[in-house]
Amino acid sequence: MSLLKALTSAGALRTLDHALAESLRRLDPDTPDAVLAAAALASLAVAEGHAGFDPAEPQRLIEAPIDWPAPDAWRQALEFSRWVACPQAGDAESPADALLVFEHGLVYLRRYREYERRLAEGLRRIGSATPHVAAEEGKAGQAQVPDHLAPLFARLFPDAASGEDMQSRAAAAALRHSLLLVTGGPGTGKTTTITRMLVLLAAQAREAGAAPPRIALAAPTGRAAERMAESVRHAVQALRALGVDEALCAQLPTAGTTLHRLLGTIPDSPTFRHHADNPLPFDVVVVDEASMIDLPLMAKLVEAVPDGARLVLLGDPDQLPSVEAGDVLAGILRAAEASKDSGNFPARHVHLTRGYRQSAGLDLAPLAAAVREGDAETALSLLRSGSLSGVHFHEGNADPLRTHRDELLAHWQPLAEVDDPAEALALANKLRILTAVREGPHGARSLNSRIEEMLTGARSGAPNASASRYFHGRLLLITENSYRHRLFNGDIGICLRGESGTLMAWFPGDDARAPRPFHPATLPAHDSAFAMTVHKAQGSEFDEVWLVLPERFSRVLSRELVYTGMTRARTVLSLAGSAVVLTAAMARHAERWSGLMKRLS
């Protein structure tokens, strides 16, 4: 049996993957079976979040018992195929007539190889640029702060003299470097660091007689962008309390935006208004939740950053990678660390570890550290001991809707009593059930259906069930990008019935105080949002989180998923699941195939 037939018979391929391979066969009946299968697998790899796939380890992509070709024979078939480009000279653009690219040991769909190549090229361009006014490089790679900024720097970072304050190192590095990576877990002060860094950049421009820096704050989702802007506003208030010049504070932005809005969406088009030939009108672009950004979007963002501008990426490297293709932040960080001494990749990385923010009611740090390290024994011991304030372990409980029905309904029912859309959206973020999977009895879709029945009293299987689900107080989650609506995958809204009796779906606007209304029938693809997958919840925080693990192990489980789900909680975390599944999840890494690190370093 041919490899393509074996993959099809095993149910390993999607219809789209198989159709791609068959289209090549129709165009050239002599195309080797190994190349046809490689095209199908490269397509599947993108759907699974990879940039490409490694023909030496195809079992990482498909666990079915397949008789795989010998790696050398497979590589040879690829290298001699008319459909496969094999670039030999650096990062040259691949031929337009090549569907696949075989490079760095990976087989790519050409489009995704080009995204990766363009991203690497753009990052090197940004990182190689020297700011117009730069500090001198000091010992051990620490940037020296110019004398005229020293008093302000000391006020902003009183612990800098110790040499151990990573926040001050990050801010000082921004005075010299155009590409800055600031990473750390929840509460390590990333936004506070960036706010003080921006004040320094404003002061630096003023001292140089230059115009105030034009600054953009952005994030992959609307909720993450608003969280970032809110944190910056609070940090600015703290700066005023420290006596920082009001004129400098006034130069900092007070609002954030999604990356799609920043780049300028074009209705019914995957391209943006801002690109290499029409760059963004900003001197500093700060992007939060960088781990969520997929390969195509990051490539388009980097190309739109103008020459001489600074790009600052914030993120938590222990979180899940993006839902779509690529593990971009991880690749950039690995390249930065690998090039720390050689300087092959001109980026500065500062990792923050000290915890600055922790809810008085939630002691999550020890558990998060154990999960990050994959230490299941310590994690289970902490969970079972009940010693962590605000953390509750419901061991063996896979159905909180049955065991804690009244407690959960007491949160959702008041949503129907709120008339103001902005107030309702704020209240909606108080609690969320997070799941590892979308389908199945413990998946987000099934839980949402049950919650809707609880709230509306609808009978399961009632006629016209889809229409009846649009009720006052229903939470909605957008599941595909709609540039026409300016609604994007992950946006959360709520259905409310106005005084006229018309039911509208409200979603956050550019100003959180002015949500935008849509008729439910006009919305792009969406689900309910009482329960969400952990992936969809990235970039958000909720006062209370129920993290529900499936009864049986699933390939989507990983320590990154558990860590990301846990760290969405602000004050209360309830973890429901078995010790066996939790242990298995913590033994797995959410690894992605990517050639970005090699291209950069």
Side-chain angles (χ1 to χ4, degrees):
M1 183 184 296
S2 72
L3 178 57
L4 183 60
K5 284 185 177 179
L7 291 168
T8 304
S9 299
L13 300 178
R14 302 173 302 156
T15 302
L16 180 63
D17 309 326
H18 186 264
L20 176 63
E22 289 298 333
S23 66
L24 294 186
R25 192 200 302 274
R26 286 193 299 272
L27 290 169
D28 184 357
D30 294 328
T31 301
D33 176 66
V35 175
L36 297 176
L41 291 172
S43 174
L44 176 64
V46 169
E48 295 289 325
H50 304 282
F53 89 96
D54 186 350
E57 298 182 283
Q59 60 277 6
R60 276 183 54 190
L61 188 61
I62 293 176
E63 294 182 347
I66 301 293
D67 186 14
W68 298 105
D72 289 342
W74 206 347
R75 292 190 190 101
Q76 188 174 32
L78 291 166
E79 289 169 354
F80 285 94
S81 173
R82 61 174 289 193
W83 302 118
V84 184
C86 300
Q88 299 297 322
D91 268 354
E93 184 174 356
S94 54
D97 59 350
L99 175 73
L100 304 176
V101 178
F102 185 35
E103 185 182 29
H104 301 307
L106 299 180
V107 180
Y108 298 86
L109 293 179
R110 179 185 181 276
R111 185 180 5 157
Y112 283 86
R113 185 267 182 180
E114 286 303 303
Y115 281 136
E116 196 175 87
R117 181 190 67 81
R118 287 161 48 191
L119 173 56
E121 184 179 86
L123 288 170
R124 284 195 297 266
R125 172 184 62 84
I126 295 170
S128 298
T130 301
H132 297 301
V133 181
E136 296 180 359
E137 192 76 8
K139 296 180 180 179
Q142 296 182 31
Q144 297 295 315
V145 178
D147 291 341
H148 60 270
L149 293 179
L152 175 61
F153 189 83
R155 179 173 295 178
L156 295 173
F157 302 100
D159 297 330
S162 68
E164 301 298 323
D165 181 25
M166 300 308 293
Q167 287 194 329
S168 64
R169 289 192 189 186
L175 298 175
R176 176 180 175 84
H177 296 272
S178 296
L179 181 56
L180 181 64
L181 316 169
V182 181
T183 60
T188 51
K190 295 189 292 294
T191 308
T192 299
T193 302
I194 293 306
T195 304
R196 300 187 179 201
M197 175 202 81
L198 294 176
V199 167
L200 281 173
L201 293 178
Q204 184 183 44
R206 185 171 67 179
E207 291 295 331
R214 297 165 298 172
I215 302 166
L217 302 179
T221 67
R223 180 60 185 158
E226 175 54 28
R227 272 184 51 219
M228 181 189 191
E230 183 180 11
S231 296
V232 169
R233 290 193 294 267
H234 290 162
V236 169
Q237 292 299 324
L239 292 179
R240 293 189 172 103
L242 287 174
V244 175
D245 187 345
E246 176 63 32
L248 293 177
C249 292
Q251 294 179 22
L252 271 60
T254 58
T257 184
T258 64
L259 289 174
H260 291 85
R261 294 188 184 114
L262 175 74
L263 294 173
T265 56
I266 300 175
D268 304 316
S269 172
T271 60
F272 294 102
R273 290 188 174 88
H274 291 290
H275 43 72
D277 295 326
N278 181 32
L280 292 164
F282 296 105
D283 304 303
V284 185
V285 178
V286 182
V287 182
D288 199 8
E289 299 290 352
S291 64
M292 297 175 60
I293 307 175
D294 59 53
L295 179 58
L297 184 56
M298 185 69 89
K300 294 170 185 178
L301 167 67
V302 165
E303 287 183 331
V305 174
D307 292 338
R310 288 176 169 87
L311 175 62
V312 183
L313 299 178
L314 311 180
D316 185 345
D318 297 306
Q319 281 192 30
L320 281 167
S322 63
V323 177
E324 307 298 336
D327 191 359
V328 177
L329 180 62
I332 297 173
L333 293 177
R334 292 190 192 107
E337 290 303 310
S339 303
K340 191 161 47 177
D341 297 325
S342 67
N344 290 337
F345 175 43
R348 181 65 190 274
H349 174 212
V350 179
H351 184 66
L352 307 179
T353 56
R354 176 183 167 192
Y356 289 83
R357 185 197 75 235
Q358 180 174 307
S359 165
L362 181 61
D363 181 18
L364 191 58
L367 179 61
V371 172
R372 257 196 328 263
E373 298 299 321
D375 186 352
E377 183 178 351
T378 298
L380 285 169
S381 176
L382 288 169
L383 287 167
R384 287 167 171 163
S385 69
S387 60
L388 301 179
S389 175
V391 178
H392 309 285
F393 186 33
H394 304 275
E395 187 169 2
N397 180 357
D399 191 0
L401 292 184
R402 179 177 57 83
T403 59
H404 293 73
R405 181 180 187 276
D406 293 341
E407 175 186 333
L408 293 170
L409 285 178
H411 167 76
W412 293 316
Q413 287 170 332
L415 293 177
E417 301 171 6
V418 179
D419 296 322
D420 179 61
E423 182 183 348
L425 286 169
L427 183 62
N429 284 307
K430 297 290 185 182
L431 178 144
R432 195 73 87 240
I433 294 179
L434 303 183
T435 69
V437 294
R438 185 167 180 261
E439 306 295 342
H442 305 101
R445 176 169 286 183
S446 175
L447 293 176
N448 276 318
S449 180
R450 292 172 60 194
I451 293 166
E452 289 170 9
E453 291 184 4
M454 292 177 186
L455 291 174
T456 64
R459 296 189 307 275
S460 179
N464 201 23
S466 61
S468 68
R469 288 171 58 194
Y470 291 111
F471 57 87
H472 187 73
R474 182 192 175 194
L475 296 180
L476 299 176
L477 171 71
I478 299 298
T479 57
E480 70 176 15
N481 292 335
S482 174
Y483 301 103
R484 179 166 59 91
H485 295 83
R486 290 193 302 124
L487 290 174
F488 303 102
N489 195 348
D491 285 353
I492 293 177
I494 188 168
C495 290
L496 294 177
R497 195 176 301 280
E499 293 180 0
S500 65
T502 303
L503 188 74
M504 301 296 286
W506 294 83
F507 286 83
D510 293 331
D511 184 344
R513 294 164 295 183
R516 297 178 295 145
F518 298 87
H519 192 283
T522 68
L523 292 174
H526 56 277
D527 289 324
S528 285
F530 300 101
M532 300 166 57
T533 62
V534 173
H535 261 116
K536 293 291 187 184
Q538 278 187 269
S540 297
E541 284 185 346
F542 312 99
D543 288 349
E544 182 175 353
V545 165
W546 274 83
L547 178 58
V548 181
L549 301 180
E551 284 189 299
R552 296 179 180 82
F553 181 74
S554 167
R555 285 185 65 187
V556 304
L557 288 170
S558 65
R559 69 182 65 169
E560 289 83 3
L561 183 140
V562 175
Y563 171 84
T564 303
M566 287 178 171
T567 54
R568 299 311 89 203
R570 278 192 289 251
T571 58
V572 178
L573 169 67
S574 294
L575 175 61
S578 73
V580 172
V581 171
L582 179 61
T583 300
M586 292 176 61
R588 280 175 57 96
H589 267 303
E591 295 180 318
R592 299 276 180 88
W593 275 314
S594 168
L596 183 60
M597 185 258 192
K598 290 182 180 179
R599 293 183 195 280
L600 289 172
S601 62

